[in-house]
Amino acid sequence: FSYFSNSFTWLLFLFYHYYDVEPKSVVLNMESEEFWVFDFPATYNCTYDGKFYTIGSAFSYNTGEYQYSIHTISLPSMQVEEGLAEYAGAEEVIRQMQSPYGIYISPYSGHLYVSDARSYATNGYVFEFDRQGNQLNKYYLDGLNPAHFLALP
């Protein structure tokens, strides 16, 4: 996942071990080769208006459970805040999802879209939120694991 801003290219990725290594997210400035490591997962993420919006999913084989986290990373300052910044109103709905599986913000409308894969074996949902995080729609999808979004003009 990458973000382009002026002459900088940013790359965000995740690593962890399912047993005993806590998840980490890494943001790399491709131009300067500087990187920052954060102590939370950013499994699903998107960029919009100079920020990474992340939903982290960390599974533990020790407990058999997922833990989710939601963060926003501002670029280029690398300032991190808990939650989805101006989309904070969507967080309650996201935290109630069975399996958040994708996040996207439309470059045309600024609307936030988050998918719920549910059990990974049934049809999923895509939720649409306005720029203030108010839920606008909930779309039922005929297909497993909705995760990827594409905006067409």
Side-chain angles (χ1 to χ4, degrees), residues 33-128:
E33 297 184 3
E34 294 177 277
F35 64 91
W36 294 262
V37 178
F38 301 103
D39 291 330
F40 56 84
T43 317
Y44 316 109
N45 61 77
C46 68
T47 57
Y48 181 74
D49 200 24
K51 297 177 182 176
F52 278 119
Y53 294 88
T54 73
I55 299 174
S57 169
F59 179 77
S60 169
Y61 281 121
N62 297 326
T63 64
E65 297 179 356
Y66 284 94
Q67 291 185 1
Y68 295 98
S69 63
I70 301 172
H71 292 87
T72 301
I73 305 170
S74 296
L75 301 172
S77 71
M78 293 296 122
Q79 179 180 341
V80 174
E81 62 181 284
E82 186 92 19
L84 292 175
E86 58 271 12
Y87 296 95
E91 292 171 33
E92 182 178 341
V93 174
I94 294 168
R95 292 189 190 281
Q96 292 175 9
M97 291 180 184
Q98 187 176 348
S99 301
Y101 203 59
I103 182 171
Y104 173 77
I105 299 175
S106 169
Y108 303 107
S109 66
H111 288 186
L112 169 69
Y113 297 86
V114 179
S115 64
D116 183 358
R118 298 174 57 202
S119 68
Y120 302 105
T122 60
N123 294 332
Y125 291 100
V126 170
F127 294 78
E128 179 182 11

